[in-house]
Amino acid sequence: MADPRITLALLNYNTTDELLRALAAIPAALGDIAARIVVIDNASNDDPAARIRAACPAAEVILNPVNLGFAAAFNRLFSYAVTPYYLLLNSDIVLPAGSVGAMLQTARALPTLGLAGVALVREDGSAQTAYGRIPTLASELLNRSLWRRLTQRTAPTEPFDVESVIGAVLLVPRRTIERVGGMDERYFFYMEETDWCKRIRDAGLRVMHFPGISVLHLQ
């Protein structure tokens, strides 16, 4: 295989049924793009290793002896696999055909990109929240849905800068790891991607939303 251009990494914790659906969609999502596929398992008890290897022999499996949480588990990836891009995925993300190529094509045109998210949709096609602002006192005190309606207007169709993205899908260039490092492992689950986005922006790189690329988020 040609040198991989991207590592697709999926994080699993007792969600192997959903993970297998996600893995089944990856070949069509990649097309002819050379990639590494890595599953990071946080000590699941639903027999993940055998099921993953049977369903997707190309996948590399990292079995953590304990549940490390979101940040620490994904941080292991950046020394394990060195590729120009990383696509960090929740285990319940189903990528549509050709989506990885679309992400890479968009990212390569943005030399100061530090991290990008994409549009997230439910199985009925309805949109989910995919990006937001760094939390403030107002955003935490107001009803969350009301705050979003007051602060988030109709999004453009071209990629645009945001303060933070939802961590279900994170496209990360290697330059980000080299300049900023990984996520802060003091966050076990929730808010680690928000903190990372802030650090990436503080380092002079862009955090962006790609509205023209939609993926299925089973939640």
Side-chain angles (χ1 to χ4, degrees), residues 93-169:
I93 290 293
V94 180
L95 297 171
S99 55
V100 175
M103 292 183 207
L104 287 175
Q105 182 178 9
T106 305
R108 286 198 300 268
L110 299 164
T112 58
L113 178 69
L115 182 147
V118 299
L120 305 174
V121 298
R122 302 178 180 88
E123 288 198 88
D124 63 5
S126 60
Q128 298 178 359
T129 299
Y131 63 92
R133 296 187 175 182
I134 301 296
T136 65
L137 181 61
S139 71
E140 297 309 294
L141 291 178
L142 285 174
N143 174 277
R144 292 294 182 89
S145 60
L146 172 61
W147 177 78
R148 281 195 292 268
R149 288 199 298 271
L150 290 173
T151 59
Q152 296 184 11
R153 307 305 182 194
T154 301
T157 58
E158 296 299 317
F160 59 93
D161 291 271
V162 295
E163 292 188 8
S164 66
V165 302
I166 302 302
V169 178

Side-chain angles (χ1 to χ4, degrees), residues 69-71 183-184 187-197:
F70 187 93
M183 287 174 270
D184 189 332
Y187 293 93
F188 182 77
F189 190 63
Y190 292 125
M191 300 302 293
E192 57 278 282
E193 78 270 39
T194 307
D195 172 79
W196 203 21
C197 287

Side-chain angles (χ1 to χ4, degrees), residues 8 21-33 37 55-56 58 95-98 100:
L8 274 63
R21 181 174 174 183
L23 288 171
I26 285 178
L30 283 171
D32 60 359
I33 293 172
I37 303 168
C56 184
L95 297 171
V100 175

Side-chain angles (χ1 to χ4, degrees), residues 52-74:
I52 293 165
R53 289 172 178 139
C56 184
E60 306 169 52
V61 183
I62 299 175
L63 296 173
N64 293 327
V66 296
N67 184 1
L68 298 179
F70 187 93
F74 269 133

